[in-house]
Amino acid sequence: MAAFNIPFVKSNMKTKVFDAQNSEGIAQCAQILREGGLVAFPTETVYGLGANGFCESAVNNIFAAKGRPNDNPLILHVACTQDAQELYSEIPQSFYKLAEIFWPGPLTLICKKSDKVPAKVCAGLDTVAVRCPANRTALSLIKLANVPVAAPSANISGKPSPTCAKHVFDDMDGKIDAIICGEACKYGIESTVLSLVGEFPVILRPGAVTQKMLQAVLGRVDISKNVCEPLSNGEKALSPGMKYQHYAPDADVFAFSGSTEQIAAKINIAYDAAKGKKIILASSENAALYGEREHYVIGQRAKPESLCASLFAALRCFNDYDIIFCETVAAQDEGLAYMNRLLRACGFKVY
Ligand code: TXA
Ligand code: MG
């Protein structure tokens, strides 16, 4: 694992809190961004930690506040397709087709970067990731700031991404200038990251926009092998974010595979044998099979997007437990994004 180059020290900065309905507050936040400060804001995926994407020192502060490894590039957020164009140096037709259909929305598009984008944003790569979020507050903040907004998820690096304002407050109070408190995030997992630089488009991180949805527009779309597999020793990640342990609460997370009934049976055996404070993140289909064992229903197996919407919040909620038991689903379609996050939370160990 790479060294965390910027030592993180909690500062005693006073973090201002604004309501998403407060348009004057949003204008103040846009001003803070323009002046090089850090503002957390809601999006439809997860909360983002924003900085002026053209200001290298502001971008540096994102890495410091999160304790983020320096070689993990950021996504630039724009308010419209046109604003993305100056950030790229080469734009394939596929970009326009996808932006037309999926923007604003949970899809991040990677193309060759233009000279306008500071090297720090892209961690030295010659490509840049850009996204237009489908959230009213985010869009008005970006428009008012009038700069591309560099924003990773607003969590401490390695922890589950924040899906409501409280999570951001827990991780970032005292370390950033402002937090805009809006609604809980609709999707609850980060955007699909798609690279458009190779011969065929490649999904580097699965999200709510699935391979099938992209294939319907582009034809062939590949999935990076690292989406559901750990990197082998010395292997270079197409997306640097894929190599770090992610989404991990303090509790040990264990994932179980098999048929629906087999999963419940395996979890029950492991639960009964385990010591300490333990909980099962259950599907509604399996909930009854867990009987009196402590469990919390996060969604439906039949709708993996519902599992995605609650996974991070549940991992945070039960952070202080010793063990969290989880069900796996098939790693395809909407289930792929869920498995991508779950496998990282459990360190790729599936029983
Ligand atoms: O939904 C989202 O995408 C959220 C919200 C806030 O928009 N943002 C987010 O950012 O998840 P972050 O920094 O947590 O994840 C960005 C991912 C990382 O895995 C990073 O390695 C990858 O995108 N990435 C960024 N630029 C890249 C590039 N030029 N080439 C390959 N991967 C890149
Ligand atoms: Mg993140």
Side-chain angles (χ1 to χ4, degrees):
M1 183 172 278
F4 285 53
N5 295 338
I6 303 173
F8 175 64
V9 183
K10 183 172 168 140
S11 70
N12 294 315
M13 182 186 275
K14 169 92 183 103
T15 301
K16 292 183 185 147
V17 176
F18 296 96
D19 190 280
Q21 304 298 323
N22 171 1
S23 50
E24 253 174 51
I26 307 296
Q28 270 189 57
C29 287
Q31 180 73 23
I32 293 172
L33 283 179
R34 265 200 309 280
E35 290 170 356
L38 299 184
V39 177
F41 60 96
T43 83
E44 80 282 30
T45 57
V46 300
Y47 272 72
L49 176 55
N52 179 343
F54 284 153
C55 175
E56 189 126 17
S57 62
V59 170
N60 272 325
N61 288 337
I62 288 183
F63 286 83
K66 278 182 63 91
R68 183 178 176 101
N70 274 319
D71 64 350
N72 195 3
L74 304 175
I75 295 172
L76 289 178
H77 294 68
V78 294
C80 62
T81 301
Q82 209 189 336
D83 290 350
Q85 294 176 28
E86 62 170 337
L87 306 174
Y88 297 136
S89 60
E90 286 168 31
I91 309 185
Q93 271 312 308
S94 52
F95 166 81
Y96 294 103
K97 288 188 193 164
L98 293 170
E100 165 94 34
I101 294 172
F102 296 108
W103 280 9
L107 178 65
T108 295
L109 296 170
I110 296 178
C111 300
K112 293 277 181 215
K113 79 184 264 301
S114 77
D115 294 339
K116 287 196 171 174
V117 179
K120 182 73 199 185
V121 169
C122 314
L125 299 174
D126 64 353
T127 55
V128 64
V130 183
R131 159 169 131 79
C132 177
N135 176 288
R136 237 171 44 136
T137 308
L139 287 174
S140 62
L141 178 72
I142 299 163
K143 265 186 212 144
L144 288 168
N146 203 25
V147 289
V149 175
S153 47
N155 52 291
I156 291 171
S157 222
K159 293 288 160 201
S161 294
T163 59
C164 68
K166 163 86 168 57
H167 300 158
V168 181
F169 199 80
D170 291 344
D171 280 14
M172 292 295 155
D173 183 34
K175 301 170 191 167
I176 64 176
D177 296 281
I179 299 172
I180 303 175
C181 299
E183 67 276 41
C185 303
K186 177 176 165 194
Y187 295 108
I189 52 159
E190 310 86 346
S191 61
T192 302
V193 175
L194 184 73
S195 169
L196 298 176
V197 293
E199 189 184 358
F200 297 103
V202 184
I203 295 174
L204 302 183
R205 181 178 71 186
V209 175
T210 63
Q211 181 186 30
K212 277 203 182 123
M213 292 158 79
L214 295 167
Q215 281 171 334
V217 181
L218 299 182
R220 177 171 167 177
V221 174
D222 296 335
I223 298 176
S224 164
K225 161 171 142 339
N226 301 128
V227 159
C228 284
E229 270 179 40
L231 287 174
S232 40
N233 259 350
E235 190 182 350
K236 193 166 171 274
L238 279 178
S239 179
M242 287 287 146
K243 72 180 183 215
Y244 295 105
Q245 200 196 352
H246 256 89
Y247 317 125
D250 292 342
D252 284 329
V253 179
F254 292 98
F256 295 81
S257 66
S259 68
T260 304
E261 297 75 23
Q262 276 171 346
I263 288 174
K266 284 186 191 176
I267 288 182
N268 285 343
I269 291 169
Y271 181 102
D272 293 343
K275 294 201 170 43
K277 229 172 148 193
K278 47 196 175 178
I279 184 135
I280 301 163
L281 300 189
S283 60
S284 52
E285 289 94 331
N286 273 2
L289 300 175
Y290 299 122
E292 296 293 291
R293 296 171 186 89
E294 195 175 346
H295 62 275
Y296 175 78
V297 175
I298 60 166
Q300 275 176 266
R301 299 180 61 76
K303 287 190 187 148
E305 62 275 25
S306 67
L307 303 172
C308 289
S310 304
L311 177 67
F312 288 153
L315 292 177
R316 278 181 178 263
C317 182
F318 303 111
N319 181 59
D320 294 341
Y321 278 56
D322 297 301
I323 305 181
I324 302 175
F325 296 99
C326 297
E327 302 178 12
T328 61
V329 297
Q332 62 193 37
D333 303 325
E334 278 80 6
L336 184 64
Y338 178 73
M339 287 306 297
N340 172 266
R341 302 333 187 258
L342 178 59
L343 286 168
R344 281 165 177 77
C346 72
F348 293 96
K349 291 185 306 292
V350 175
Y351 297 90

